[in-house]
Amino acid sequence: MRCPFCRHPDSRVVDSREVEEGQAIRRRRSCSQCSRRFTTVEEAVLAVVKRSGVTEPFSRDKVVTGVRRACQGRPVDEDALQQLAQRVEESIRSTGCAEIPSHEVGLAILGPLRDLDGVAYLRFASVYRSFSSVEDFEKEIAELKRAEEVSPNDLGAAQESAAER
């Protein structure tokens, strides 16, 4: 790591700590040339590969913006949207992949959104899955009703089968 003061290319790590719930590492360093200390933060970059092949960094704000549109006019507060975005990011990071297709981000949104608000879920799913007929909506509504009738232990399996579609 290059020293920000004297630009010497060598430094040693004095201390390392996890920050942001383990999402980053804060390192305290000492320059071997000028002996000044500085701090670096190392963060794993999560990249999203779009359909066009373009790669861009994952953004919680983009998740919130997309879900906010689906929740327009619904009784969903900003904190719930931020928590949903955090759950989506945690889900994606738990795969251990540095790059993830945008399609997988959409799938990761569907589950938490279904739990948050059924109407917003239908709106998002209709765009995400490109519903083209009333029958598509009817099938999804029937699946939502079936999931509500299922016991809490079986809910995860019902959500997984819906996500696979």
Side-chain angles (χ1 to χ4, degrees), residues 90-146:
E90 288 170 358
S91 169
I92 291 170
R93 285 193 186 275
S94 71
T95 65
C97 297
E99 290 186 345
I100 188 159
S102 59
H103 175 75
E104 296 294 324
V105 176
L107 289 177
I109 291 171
L110 287 173
L113 185 55
R114 177 185 251 181
D115 296 340
L116 182 65
D117 187 273
V119 173
Y121 167 80
L122 276 174
R123 289 175 178 170
F124 188 87
S126 70
V127 174
Y128 179 72
R129 293 187 178 145
S130 303
F131 287 4
S132 58
S133 67
V134 173
E135 289 78 25
D136 293 336
F137 280 95
E138 289 172 342
K139 286 179 192 174
E140 200 61 43
I141 290 169
E143 185 65 36
L144 274 172
K145 286 180 180 178
R146 228 183 342 269

Side-chain angles (χ1 to χ4, degrees), residues 20-121:
E20 298 177 22
E21 299 172 1
Q23 299 299 319
I25 298 174
R26 179 186 169 274
R27 297 196 196 280
R28 192 75 180 136
R29 296 177 177 268
S30 176
C31 176
S32 58
Q33 180 76 28
C34 69
S35 299
R36 292 180 80 177
R37 290 188 173 194
F38 57 98
T39 301
T40 60
V41 177
E42 298 174 17
E43 191 173 22
V45 176
L46 180 60
V48 177
V49 181
K50 300 196 152 217
R51 290 181 190 148
S52 65
V54 175
T55 302
E56 65 180 43
F58 175 83
S59 168
R60 277 191 194 178
D61 292 336
K62 282 187 133 182
V63 171
V64 170
T65 300
V67 173
R68 185 180 290 127
R69 277 190 222 119
C71 293
Q72 196 169 6
R74 302 294 303 154
V76 177
D77 64 354
E78 190 63 29
D79 287 343
L81 293 178
Q82 293 297 331
Q83 288 174 356
L84 182 140
Q86 181 177 348
R87 284 178 60 191
V88 168
E89 183 175 2
E90 288 170 358
S91 169
I92 291 170
R93 285 193 186 275
S94 71
T95 65
C97 297
E99 290 186 345
I100 188 159
S102 59
H103 175 75
E104 296 294 324
V105 176
L107 289 177
I109 291 171
L110 287 173
L113 185 55
R114 177 185 251 181
D115 296 340
L116 182 65
D117 187 273
V119 173
Y121 167 80

